[in-house]
């Protein structure tokens, strides 16, 4: 790891001012992506501004129609929260299958979506549920937030504060984990919402997470596993790598979609 | 350099570290507690697992400065003098190790999972909970057996 200077921010204002005076700084969430990347010298921030001590980024709350989760809440906390289990059980289940127990004890919701790894789990839930991302300066809808692989509409010094998920009638998530990394080879989040069915796919698309429109249409006519897995999925815009071809992934998307709808009930 | 203070295995310690120093480097090189191992560069093997403020974490993926002010327990802190911790005893009894490289991390993960599940563990849960710990020798079978035995033993005496 290259040299870096560590700062622990006590508040949002403190964090942005520390970032403002840094040469080439980065925010530090749970460190589960950033620290491995720095160890491999693929990132070399001059300064790290740790968000772990900011109270505004903590907490889970629900008002009956919306579930709000702080950006600094860990995967383990989401998985174990009775509020999340009650409001959106599929989200708690998703969090309980991210990485391993040690990663879940540190990694955060904010860090995961800020990173927007094309194989990460949370982006599928955020997009399928039509969540709103609240930052220190504005609110961004999920559709406007994810901008392709590892890209988001966040500016360099912007901090995600919380994510608000409209509570769906029902929802399910299914992923086919890469046997070594446990990241999604394909993961599908399907939700039945007041705006109709919404389906988002992670792990498969060349541009990261995306909505599968044809599946949404099929599910609005018939909410069933067979309707979801019966949709033709084109391999054209899907990833091909040593783990699987785009045709293989296209088939995985169909199978995972069927399982997601089945899990939703 | 930054001065850090923490409690390690019940003892107050302090040290001067570079901000980029990993917690595992501070534990092994600063404190000379070499029971905690480093088995990979990718945060995947779990040989480095320790408990920070009661939570199992990978000490190769946390900076030492992040652990300033915390309470850390390493493999050296589990036994009570000459009396092995029940998880250590179960690994010994059930041949839960061969070369022993992964063992410190396995035992720290096991102690954490037994605590979180209040000793109520079955084979499928143990295997799922071992997702972040890799063993190149045993084929896991006797590790799972050891953790099951320790969980049963600890819930009996609780
Ligand atoms: C072994 C292993 C297995 C994993 N498996 C999976 C998996 O199966 N599925 C999965 O989805 N993920 C997986 N992950 C990644 C994990 O979920 C990370 O927690 C997540 O990607 C990053 O979150 P973090 O809090 O650790 O962020 P960090 O690593 O601290 O930061 C990541 C990026 O986000 C930025 N950032 C962090 N917080 C904020 C914020 N509040 N506002 C703005 N920017 C912010 C940082 O500046 C950095 O650029 C795995 C990681 C490891 C090490
Ligand atoms: S050394 Fe920490 S996970 Fe491998
Ligand atoms: S006993 Fe050798 S790596 Fe596990």
């Amino acid at each position: 790891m290259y040299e870096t200077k560590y700062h622990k921010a006590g508040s949002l204002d403190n964090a942005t001012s520390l970032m403002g005076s840094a040469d080439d700084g980065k925010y530090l969430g749970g460190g589960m992506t950033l620290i491995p990347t720095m160890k491999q010298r693929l990132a070399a921030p001059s300064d790290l501004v740790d968000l772990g001590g900011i109270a505004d980024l903590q907490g889970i709350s629900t008002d009956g129609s919306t579930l709000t989760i702080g950006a600094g809440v860990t995967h383990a906390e989401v998985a174990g929260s009775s509020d999340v289990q009650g409001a959106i059980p599929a989200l708690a289940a998703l969090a309980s299958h991210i990485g391993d127990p040690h990663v879940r004890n540190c990694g955060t919701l904010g860090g995961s979506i800020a990173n927007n790894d094309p194989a990460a789990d949370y982006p599928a839930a955020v997009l399928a549920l039509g969540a709103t991302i609240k930052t220190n300066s504005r609110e961004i809808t999920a559709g406007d937030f994810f901008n392709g692989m590892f890209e988001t509409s966040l500016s360099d010094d912007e901090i995600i504060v919380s994510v608000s998920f409209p509570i769906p009638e029902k929802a399910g998530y299914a992923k086919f984990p890469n046997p070594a990394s446990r990241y999604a080879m394909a993961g599908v989040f399907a939700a039945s919402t007041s705006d109709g069915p919404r389906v988002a796919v992670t792990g498969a698309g060349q541009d990261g997470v995306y909505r599968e429109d044809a599946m949404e249409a099929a599910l609005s006519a018939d909410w069933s596993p067979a309707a979801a897995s019966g949709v033709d999925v084109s391999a054209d815009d899907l990833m091909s790598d040593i783990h699987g071809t785009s045709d293989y992934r296209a088939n995985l998307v169909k199978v995972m979609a069927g399982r997601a709808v089945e899990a939703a009930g | 350099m930054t001065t850090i203070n923490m409690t390690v295995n019940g003892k107050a310690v302090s040290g001067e570290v570079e901000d980029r120093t990993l917690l595992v480097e501070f534990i092994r090189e600063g404190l000379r507690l070499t029971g905690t191992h480093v088995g990979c560069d990718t945060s995947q093997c779990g040989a480095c697992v320790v408990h920070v403020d009661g939570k199992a974490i990978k000490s190769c993926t946390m900076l030492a400065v992040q652990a300033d002010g915390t309470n850390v327990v390493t493999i050296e802190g589990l036994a009570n003098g000459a009396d092995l911790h029940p998880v250590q005893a179960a690994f010994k009894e059930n041949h839960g190790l061969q070369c022993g490289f992964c063992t410190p991390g396995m035992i720290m993960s096991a102690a954490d999972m037994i605590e979180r599940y209040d000793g109520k563990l079955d084979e499928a849960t143990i295997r799922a909970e071992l997702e972040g710990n890799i063993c190149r020798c045993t084929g896991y079978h006797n590790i799972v057996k050891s953790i099951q035995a320790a969980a049963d033993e600890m819930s009996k005496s609780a």
Side-chain angles (χ1 to χ4, degrees):
Chain A
M1 190 185 299
Y2 290 109
E3 253 180 90
T4 189
K5 179 116 201 58
Y6 172 87
H7 315 263
K8 183 141 194 172
S11 68
L12 283 170
D13 286 346
N14 183 213
T16 47
S17 87
L18 284 164
M19 190 55 84
S21 40
D23 227 9
D24 179 20
K26 272 233 173 252
Y27 291 121
L28 179 65
M32 291 299 106
T33 293
L34 188 50
I35 293 179
T37 314
M38 290 173 68
K39 282 167 65 177
Q40 293 180 34
R41 296 190 165 184
L42 296 171
S46 64
D47 296 71
L48 284 177
V49 178
D50 189 349
L51 305 175
I54 304 179
D56 289 346
L57 266 54
Q58 297 303 320
I60 298 175
S61 63
T62 168
D63 66 2
S65 62
T66 310
L67 173 74
T68 300
I69 304 179
V73 175
T74 64
H75 309 332
E77 287 165 341
V78 171
S81 154
S82 52
D83 279 339
V84 181
Q85 287 163 359
I88 316 181
L91 193 60
L94 175 151
S96 77
H97 288 105
I98 297 176
D100 59 51
H102 324 300
V103 168
R104 294 195 287 273
N105 273 339
C106 294
T108 67
L109 170 59
S112 177
I113 63 171
N115 193 49
N116 193 19
D117 187 303
D121 296 299
Y122 269 130
V126 169
L127 187 59
L129 293 169
T132 301
I133 292 104
K134 184 170 168 250
T135 75
N136 57 324
S137 56
R138 58 185 171 143
E139 295 194 348
I140 312 170
T141 58
D144 292 332
F145 182 82
F146 299 109
N147 282 338
M149 278 205 191
F150 297 107
E151 294 291 335
T152 67
S153 51
L154 290 174
S155 61
D156 281 347
D157 62 352
E158 200 168 358
I159 301 173
I160 304 173
V161 176
S162 63
V163 181
S164 292
F165 298 90
I167 298 173
E169 285 151 26
K170 52 189 173 181
Y173 180 64
K175 82 163 156 174
F176 187 87
N178 178 306
S181 77
R182 310 321 275 180
Y183 275 94
M185 297 265 300
V188 177
F189 199 102
S192 168
T193 76
S194 52
D195 298 333
R198 289 174 62 108
V199 177
V201 178
T202 188
Q206 274 179 3
D207 289 323
V209 67
Y210 69 94
R211 277 173 73 183
E212 188 59 65
D213 301 333
M215 264 177 205
E216 294 181 356
L219 286 169
S220 66
D222 170 21
W223 177 270
S224 73
S229 57
V231 168
D232 264 335
V233 173
S234 159
D236 286 352
D237 295 320
L238 301 189
M239 283 192 275
S240 256
D241 55 27
I242 57 165
H243 307 299
T245 62
S246 50
D247 285 329
Y248 180 73
R249 280 197 167 83
N251 190 56
L252 272 184
V253 169
K254 300 198 320 182
V255 177
M256 291 305 121
R259 289 186 192 169
V261 173
E262 195 172 338
Chain B
M1 302 290 267
T2 302
T3 304
I4 54 172
N5 299 288
M6 59 185 88
T7 306
V8 177
N9 301 331
K11 250 176 49 197
V13 300
S14 67
E16 288 270 305
V17 294
E18 283 190 316
D19 288 4
R20 64 176 159 178
T21 304
L22 298 169
L23 178 59
V24 71
E25 294 167 346
F26 177 65
I27 290 171
R28 287 181 55 87
E29 290 157 32
L31 303 176
R32 297 275 165 200
L33 293 171
T34 53
T36 303
H37 291 169
V38 177
C40 74
D41 279 328
T42 51
S43 308
Q44 282 174 309
C45 77
C48 62
V49 171
V50 302
H51 299 176
V52 173
D53 285 341
K55 293 202 167 94
I57 60 99
K58 289 175 168 170
S59 61
C60 72
T61 315
M62 180 179 278
L63 299 172
V65 285
Q66 280 179 281
D68 186 24
T70 62
N71 186 356
V72 178
V73 179
T74 71
I75 186 71
E76 288 91 345
L78 277 193
N80 183 5
D83 293 335
L84 292 181
H85 183 277
V87 179
Q88 292 173 309
F91 269 68
K92 184 174 172 222
E93 196 58 36
N94 294 280
H95 301 283
L97 60 145
Q98 288 182 22
C99 79
F101 194 87
C102 70
T103 313
M106 288 287 177
I107 289 180
M108 296 311 283
S109 295
D112 170 69
M113 86 173 79
I114 292 171
E115 162 107 23
R116 271 187 294 119
Y117 285 85
D118 204 15
K120 294 176 191 66
L121 285 168
D122 55 29
E123 182 183 340
T125 310
I126 296 171
R127 288 187 184 272
E129 284 285 328
L130 286 181
E131 186 57 60
N133 293 84
I134 295 175
C135 175
R136 298 305 301 266
C137 302
T138 63
Y140 301 96
H141 192 70
N142 284 354
I143 292 176
V144 175
K145 225 168 107 185
S146 305
I147 298 174
Q148 184 75 64
D152 294 347
E153 179 65 33
M154 287 168 78
S155 43
K156 212 171 19 179
S157 56

PDB file of all heavy atoms in Angstrom, chain B residues 17-37:
ATOM      1  N   VAL B  17       2.390   4.088  14.615  1.00  0.00           N
ATOM      2  CA  VAL B  17       2.250   3.403  13.326  1.00  0.00           C
ATOM      3  C   VAL B  17       2.118   4.404  12.186  1.00  0.00           C
ATOM      4  O   VAL B  17       1.687   5.544  12.384  1.00  0.00           O
ATOM      5  CB  VAL B  17       0.995   2.483  13.298  1.00  0.00           C
ATOM      6  CG1 VAL B  17       1.140   1.328  14.285  1.00  0.00           C
ATOM      7  CG2 VAL B  17      -0.284   3.269  13.556  1.00  0.00           C
ATOM      8  N   GLU B  18       2.509   3.959  11.002  1.00  0.00           N
ATOM      9  CA  GLU B  18       2.177   4.721   9.802  1.00  0.00           C
ATOM     10  C   GLU B  18       0.680   4.554   9.583  1.00  0.00           C
ATOM     11  O   GLU B  18       0.113   3.502   9.909  1.00  0.00           O
ATOM     12  CB  GLU B  18       2.902   4.123   8.586  1.00  0.00           C
ATOM     13  CG  GLU B  18       4.363   4.464   8.497  1.00  0.00           C
ATOM     14  CD  GLU B  18       4.928   4.035   7.135  1.00  0.00           C
ATOM     15  OE1 GLU B  18       4.625   2.916   6.680  1.00  0.00           O
ATOM     16  OE2 GLU B  18       5.646   4.818   6.544  1.00  0.00           O
ATOM     17  N   ASP B  19       0.040   5.553   8.975  1.00  0.00           N
ATOM     18  CA  ASP B  19      -1.407   5.453   8.772  1.00  0.00           C
ATOM     19  C   ASP B  19      -1.763   4.268   7.880  1.00  0.00           C
ATOM     20  O   ASP B  19      -2.854   3.712   7.966  1.00  0.00           O
ATOM     21  CB  ASP B  19      -1.961   6.756   8.169  1.00  0.00           C
ATOM     22  CG  ASP B  19      -1.972   7.872   9.202  1.00  0.00           C
ATOM     23  OD1 ASP B  19      -1.479   7.640  10.336  1.00  0.00           O
ATOM     24  OD2 ASP B  19      -2.462   8.973   8.892  1.00  0.00           O
ATOM     25  N   ARG B  20      -0.844   3.855   6.998  1.00  0.00           N
ATOM     26  CA  ARG B  20      -1.161   2.742   6.092  1.00  0.00           C
ATOM     27  C   ARG B  20      -0.935   1.368   6.732  1.00  0.00           C
ATOM     28  O   ARG B  20      -1.172   0.350   6.090  1.00  0.00           O
ATOM     29  CB  ARG B  20      -0.324   2.848   4.819  1.00  0.00           C
ATOM     30  CG  ARG B  20       1.163   2.711   5.069  1.00  0.00           C
ATOM     31  CD  ARG B  20       1.922   2.720   3.764  1.00  0.00           C
ATOM     32  NE  ARG B  20       3.322   3.097   3.985  1.00  0.00           N
ATOM     33  CZ  ARG B  20       4.207   3.144   3.002  1.00  0.00           C
ATOM     34  NH1 ARG B  20       3.854   2.852   1.768  1.00  0.00           N
ATOM     35  NH2 ARG B  20       5.446   3.497   3.258  1.00  0.00           N
ATOM     36  N   THR B  21      -0.454   1.333   7.971  1.00  0.00           N
ATOM     37  CA  THR B  21      -0.209   0.046   8.632  1.00  0.00           C
ATOM     38  C   THR B  21      -1.516  -0.714   8.830  1.00  0.00           C
ATOM     39  O   THR B  21      -2.490  -0.167   9.357  1.00  0.00           O
ATOM     40  CB  THR B  21       0.448   0.278  10.013  1.00  0.00           C
ATOM     41  OG1 THR B  21       1.630   1.041   9.817  1.00  0.00           O
ATOM     42  CG2 THR B  21       0.783  -1.047  10.698  1.00  0.00           C
ATOM     43  N   LEU B  22      -1.537  -1.971   8.429  1.00  0.00           N
ATOM     44  CA  LEU B  22      -2.740  -2.787   8.643  1.00  0.00           C
ATOM     45  C   LEU B  22      -2.775  -3.254  10.092  1.00  0.00           C
ATOM     46  O   LEU B  22      -1.733  -3.421  10.740  1.00  0.00           O
ATOM     47  CB  LEU B  22      -2.720  -3.996   7.709  1.00  0.00           C
ATOM     48  CG  LEU B  22      -2.724  -3.668   6.216  1.00  0.00           C
ATOM     49  CD1 LEU B  22      -2.438  -4.928   5.384  1.00  0.00           C
ATOM     50  CD2 LEU B  22      -4.066  -3.056   5.798  1.00  0.00           C
ATOM     51  N   LEU B  23      -3.980  -3.504  10.597  1.00  0.00           N
ATOM     52  CA  LEU B  23      -4.106  -3.985  11.972  1.00  0.00           C
ATOM     53  C   LEU B  23      -3.295  -5.266  12.171  1.00  0.00           C
ATOM     54  O   LEU B  23      -2.615  -5.438  13.186  1.00  0.00           O
ATOM     55  CB  LEU B  23      -5.588  -4.202  12.320  1.00  0.00           C
ATOM     56  CG  LEU B  23      -5.871  -4.757  13.722  1.00  0.00           C
ATOM     57  CD1 LEU B  23      -5.313  -3.842  14.811  1.00  0.00           C
ATOM     58  CD2 LEU B  23      -7.370  -4.960  13.920  1.00  0.00           C
ATOM     59  N   VAL B  24      -3.323  -6.175  11.176  1.00  0.00           N
ATOM     60  CA  VAL B  24      -2.571  -7.431  11.338  1.00  0.00           C
ATOM     61  C   VAL B  24      -1.069  -7.173  11.428  1.00  0.00           C
ATOM     62  O   VAL B  24      -0.360  -7.859  12.162  1.00  0.00           O
ATOM     63  CB  VAL B  24      -2.906  -8.452  10.217  1.00  0.00           C
ATOM     64  CG1 VAL B  24      -2.337  -8.037   8.859  1.00  0.00           C
ATOM     65  CG2 VAL B  24      -2.415  -9.836  10.596  1.00  0.00           C
ATOM     66  N   GLU B  25      -0.578  -6.167  10.721  1.00  0.00           N
ATOM     67  CA  GLU B  25       0.851  -5.841  10.795  1.00  0.00           C
ATOM     68  C   GLU B  25       1.198  -5.318  12.192  1.00  0.00           C
ATOM     69  O   GLU B  25       2.236  -5.664  12.757  1.00  0.00           O
ATOM     70  CB  GLU B  25       1.229  -4.808   9.725  1.00  0.00           C
ATOM     71  CG  GLU B  25       1.101  -5.353   8.308  1.00  0.00           C
ATOM     72  CD  GLU B  25       1.175  -4.267   7.222  1.00  0.00           C
ATOM     73  OE1 GLU B  25       1.055  -3.056   7.529  1.00  0.00           O
ATOM     74  OE2 GLU B  25       1.346  -4.649   6.053  1.00  0.00           O
ATOM     75  N   PHE B  26       0.315  -4.484  12.729  1.00  0.00           N
ATOM     76  CA  PHE B  26       0.559  -3.971  14.083  1.00  0.00           C
ATOM     77  C   PHE B  26       0.543  -5.118  15.099  1.00  0.00           C
ATOM     78  O   PHE B  26       1.392  -5.188  15.986  1.00  0.00           O
ATOM     79  CB  PHE B  26      -0.505  -2.911  14.433  1.00  0.00           C
ATOM     80  CG  PHE B  26      -0.361  -2.379  15.834  1.00  0.00           C
ATOM     81  CD1 PHE B  26       0.771  -1.657  16.205  1.00  0.00           C
ATOM     82  CD2 PHE B  26      -1.351  -2.603  16.784  1.00  0.00           C
ATOM     83  CE1 PHE B  26       0.908  -1.178  17.505  1.00  0.00           C
ATOM     84  CE2 PHE B  26      -1.224  -2.119  18.081  1.00  0.00           C
ATOM     85  CZ  PHE B  26      -0.088  -1.411  18.445  1.00  0.00           C
ATOM     86  N   ILE B  27      -0.401  -6.032  14.945  1.00  0.00           N
ATOM     87  CA  ILE B  27      -0.502  -7.158  15.885  1.00  0.00           C
ATOM     88  C   ILE B  27       0.737  -8.054  15.794  1.00  0.00           C
ATOM     89  O   ILE B  27       1.337  -8.424  16.799  1.00  0.00           O
ATOM     90  CB  ILE B  27      -1.789  -7.975  15.601  1.00  0.00           C
ATOM     91  CG1 ILE B  27      -3.030  -7.162  15.996  1.00  0.00           C
ATOM     92  CG2 ILE B  27      -1.771  -9.313  16.345  1.00  0.00           C
ATOM     93  CD1 ILE B  27      -4.353  -7.804  15.554  1.00  0.00           C
ATOM     94  N   ARG B  28       1.133  -8.392  14.575  1.00  0.00           N
ATOM     95  CA  ARG B  28       2.243  -9.342  14.402  1.00  0.00           C
ATOM     96  C   ARG B  28       3.610  -8.692  14.627  1.00  0.00           C
ATOM     97  O   ARG B  28       4.450  -9.243  15.325  1.00  0.00           O
ATOM     98  CB  ARG B  28       2.204  -9.954  12.993  1.00  0.00           C
ATOM     99  CG  ARG B  28       1.084 -10.964  12.796  1.00  0.00           C
ATOM    100  CD  ARG B  28       1.115 -11.544  11.376  1.00  0.00           C
ATOM    101  NE  ARG B  28       2.417 -12.110  11.072  1.00  0.00           N
ATOM    102  CZ  ARG B  28       2.790 -13.352  11.360  1.00  0.00           C
ATOM    103  NH1 ARG B  28       1.932 -14.167  11.939  1.00  0.00           N
ATOM    104  NH2 ARG B  28       3.998 -13.782  11.052  1.00  0.00           N
ATOM    105  N   GLU B  29       3.817  -7.510  14.005  1.00  0.00           N
ATOM    106  CA  GLU B  29       5.155  -6.925  14.033  1.00  0.00           C
ATOM    107  C   GLU B  29       5.320  -5.944  15.190  1.00  0.00           C
ATOM    108  O   GLU B  29       6.389  -5.877  15.795  1.00  0.00           O
ATOM    109  CB  GLU B  29       5.454  -6.245  12.693  1.00  0.00           C
ATOM    110  CG  GLU B  29       5.629  -7.277  11.588  1.00  0.00           C
ATOM    111  CD  GLU B  29       5.363  -6.718  10.197  1.00  0.00           C
ATOM    112  OE1 GLU B  29       5.643  -5.520   9.980  1.00  0.00           O
ATOM    113  OE2 GLU B  29       4.863  -7.483   9.340  1.00  0.00           O
ATOM    114  N   GLY B  30       4.243  -5.210  15.499  1.00  0.00           N
ATOM    115  CA  GLY B  30       4.327  -4.241  16.591  1.00  0.00           C
ATOM    116  C   GLY B  30       4.227  -4.938  17.935  1.00  0.00           C
ATOM    117  O   GLY B  30       5.022  -4.691  18.838  1.00  0.00           O
ATOM    118  N   LEU B  31       3.252  -5.821  18.083  1.00  0.00           N
ATOM    119  CA  LEU B  31       3.016  -6.459  19.383  1.00  0.00           C
ATOM    120  C   LEU B  31       3.660  -7.838  19.480  1.00  0.00           C
ATOM    121  O   LEU B  31       3.646  -8.461  20.534  1.00  0.00           O
ATOM    122  CB  LEU B  31       1.502  -6.570  19.645  1.00  0.00           C
ATOM    123  CG  LEU B  31       0.713  -5.257  19.608  1.00  0.00           C
ATOM    124  CD1 LEU B  31      -0.776  -5.530  19.793  1.00  0.00           C
ATOM    125  CD2 LEU B  31       1.219  -4.289  20.676  1.00  0.00           C
ATOM    126  N   ARG B  32       4.196  -8.332  18.374  1.00  0.00           N
ATOM    127  CA  ARG B  32       4.845  -9.652  18.341  1.00  0.00           C
ATOM    128  C   ARG B  32       3.879 -10.773  18.711  1.00  0.00           C
ATOM    129  O   ARG B  32       4.270 -11.780  19.291  1.00  0.00           O
ATOM    130  CB  ARG B  32       6.079  -9.699  19.261  1.00  0.00           C
ATOM    131  CG  ARG B  32       7.152  -8.726  18.828  1.00  0.00           C
ATOM    132  CD  ARG B  32       8.021  -9.353  17.764  1.00  0.00           C
ATOM    133  NE  ARG B  32       8.824  -8.336  17.080  1.00  0.00           N
ATOM    134  CZ  ARG B  32       9.376  -8.501  15.894  1.00  0.00           C
ATOM    135  NH1 ARG B  32       9.196  -9.634  15.239  1.00  0.00           N
ATOM    136  NH2 ARG B  32      10.083  -7.561  15.337  1.00  0.00           N
ATOM    137  N   LEU B  33       2.616 -10.586  18.430  1.00  0.00           N
ATOM    138  CA  LEU B  33       1.627 -11.654  18.626  1.00  0.00           C
ATOM    139  C   LEU B  33       1.449 -12.321  17.269  1.00  0.00           C
ATOM    140  O   LEU B  33       0.655 -11.895  16.434  1.00  0.00           O
ATOM    141  CB  LEU B  33       0.304 -11.073  19.134  1.00  0.00           C
ATOM    142  CG  LEU B  33       0.339 -10.472  20.553  1.00  0.00           C
ATOM    143  CD1 LEU B  33      -0.948  -9.736  20.864  1.00  0.00           C
ATOM    144  CD2 LEU B  33       0.583 -11.580  21.578  1.00  0.00           C
ATOM    145  N   THR B  34       2.235 -13.380  17.041  1.00  0.00           N
ATOM    146  CA  THR B  34       2.301 -13.939  15.687  1.00  0.00           C
ATOM    147  C   THR B  34       1.337 -15.106  15.466  1.00  0.00           C
ATOM    148  O   THR B  34       1.429 -15.806  14.463  1.00  0.00           O
ATOM    149  CB  THR B  34       3.742 -14.386  15.368  1.00  0.00           C
ATOM    150  OG1 THR B  34       4.165 -15.254  16.423  1.00  0.00           O
ATOM    151  CG2 THR B  34       4.675 -13.201  15.283  1.00  0.00           C
ATOM    152  N   GLY B  35       0.413 -15.281  16.400  1.00  0.00           N
ATOM    153  CA  GLY B  35      -0.607 -16.314  16.195  1.00  0.00           C
ATOM    154  C   GLY B  35      -1.562 -15.940  15.080  1.00  0.00           C
ATOM    155  O   GLY B  35      -2.068 -16.803  14.352  1.00  0.00           O
ATOM    156  N   THR B  36      -1.826 -14.666  14.900  1.00  0.00           N
ATOM    157  CA  THR B  36      -2.698 -14.194  13.821  1.00  0.00           C
ATOM    158  C   THR B  36      -1.915 -14.271  12.508  1.00  0.00           C
ATOM    159  O   THR B  36      -0.817 -13.731  12.426  1.00  0.00           O
ATOM    160  CB  THR B  36      -3.157 -12.752  14.104  1.00  0.00           C
ATOM    161  OG1 THR B  36      -3.810 -12.724  15.373  1.00  0.00           O
ATOM    162  CG2 THR B  36      -4.109 -12.252  13.040  1.00  0.00           C
ATOM    163  N   HIS B  37      -2.466 -14.953  11.519  1.00  0.00           N
ATOM    164  CA  HIS B  37      -1.719 -15.212  10.278  1.00  0.00           C
ATOM    165  C   HIS B  37      -2.204 -14.360   9.104  1.00  0.00           C
ATOM    166  O   HIS B  37      -3.301 -13.813   9.141  1.00  0.00           O
ATOM    167  CB  HIS B  37      -1.843 -16.696   9.901  1.00  0.00           C
ATOM    168  CG  HIS B  37      -1.118 -17.601  10.854  1.00  0.00           C
ATOM    169  ND1 HIS B  37      -1.263 -18.972  10.849  1.00  0.00           N
ATOM    170  CD2 HIS B  37      -0.233 -17.326  11.846  1.00  0.00           C
ATOM    171  CE1 HIS B  37      -0.500 -19.500  11.786  1.00  0.00           C
ATOM    172  NE2 HIS B  37       0.120 -18.522  12.417  1.00  0.00           N
TER     173      HIS B  37
END
